[in-house]
Amino acid sequence: MTTADDTFAAFLDTLAVTLDMGHEERARRLHLSRHHLARVVSAAGGEPPERMRRRLLMERAAHRLLTSDDQVVDIAFEAGFGSHEAFTRAFAREYGAAPSRWRRHPTRTRIEGPSGVHFHPPGSLRLPTSRKVTPMDLMTRMIEHHVWLTGEMIDRATRLTDAQLDAPIEVPIGTIDCDMTIRSVLGRLVGQLAQWNTAVEQRPYDFAQERGKSLSTLRRELAEEGPAFLEQVRATVAEGRLDDTFVDVTCEPPKVFTYGGMVAHVLTFAAVRRLVVLGAFESLGITDLDAGDPMEWMGAPA
């Protein structure tokens, strides 16, 4: 049996691809009467479907004002207004300024609505999440992204010759590792995870063994050390132990760190090392990972 929530979800799916069409078209596609669809959407979303659509069109218009050089009158017609004047009045009601003035001094693009549905560039909808993402969720997602991207970089490195893998990397911002090459930095990215897995267990770690490894060895070690480090972070977060300390015997002399500080250290220095490798890749014609931006991997915010 189809519930009201099912109908509302189907309406949103349809709205995303029919934003420039009238209410009749959405009702037709959903095989519902206009009245019944309006009643269900109003109850589930807190606002009538046409009010929601007009709000989303206005949000899209605000985005167009920010990201294009289109004339205001063209943006007005695209938003479904019959005149520049009508659009200006409606826009000013929502954003507190006429479109031309707002374009010079923009503020927000979202218009508050009870449904929590908003326009999501370039042409879709942003739906309310069923759960809130906590800072701790974000931390584990960043670790997941780091492990994933390191694996992708190892895969891309298989396209290179040994000479390219072992060529010195010159970077103008200084180095955090000595005598950097693509192979050595990939080895440090994987080794860093292994090092901290070892440190938490208070075992010594041999840094020298990181250098000169084959890509197949690095891939195998990442498959072991990446999930182990991620599980360690998840458990520490779940148990509320980020402020707990441990003795790092991989240092000489041994030092005391917090678990939270260790995670921050890994993410900070790993980001620099990844950019070093990605920059070297770019110089060799490998560009499909771009800058490895986690925003795209996680899903860019509206």
Side-chain angles (χ1 to χ4, degrees), residues 15-17 19 56 60 117-127:
L15 181 61
V17 297
L19 195 56
L56 295 172
R60 187 180 71 180
V117 177
H118 295 280
F119 175 73
H120 185 61
S124 60
L125 303 183
R126 176 89 172 187
L127 307 182

Side-chain angles (χ1 to χ4, degrees), residues 10 39 60 62 83 112 124 126 138 151 155 165 172 220 225 232 234 250 257 264 277 280 289 300:
R39 183 168 56 83
R60 187 180 71 180
S83 69
E112 290 303 315
S124 60
R126 176 89 172 187
L138 182 59
D155 286 343
L165 289 172
R220 184 181 70 250
E225 302 295 347
Q232 178 191 150
R234 284 175 173 159
T250 69
F257 298 114
V277 173
L289 291 175

Side-chain angles (χ1 to χ4, degrees), residues 2 4-16 26 30 32 37:
T2 301
D5 287 342
D6 292 334
T7 300
F8 184 60
F11 165 77
L12 293 178
D13 288 341
T14 304
L15 181 61
R26 281 175 287 283
L30 294 172
L32 297 171
L37 179 60

Side-chain angles (χ1 to χ4, degrees), residues 143-156 186 189 222 274-275 278 281 289-294 297:
I143 296 294
E144 289 171 351
H145 169 261
H146 169 53
V147 173
W148 168 82
L149 183 54
T150 300
E152 291 297 306
M153 292 192 299
I154 292 173
D155 286 343
R156 299 308 187 280
L186 289 174
L189 283 167
L222 179 65
R274 293 195 313 255
L275 287 174
L278 291 168
F281 279 171
L289 291 175
D290 296 320
D293 193 339
W297 185 79

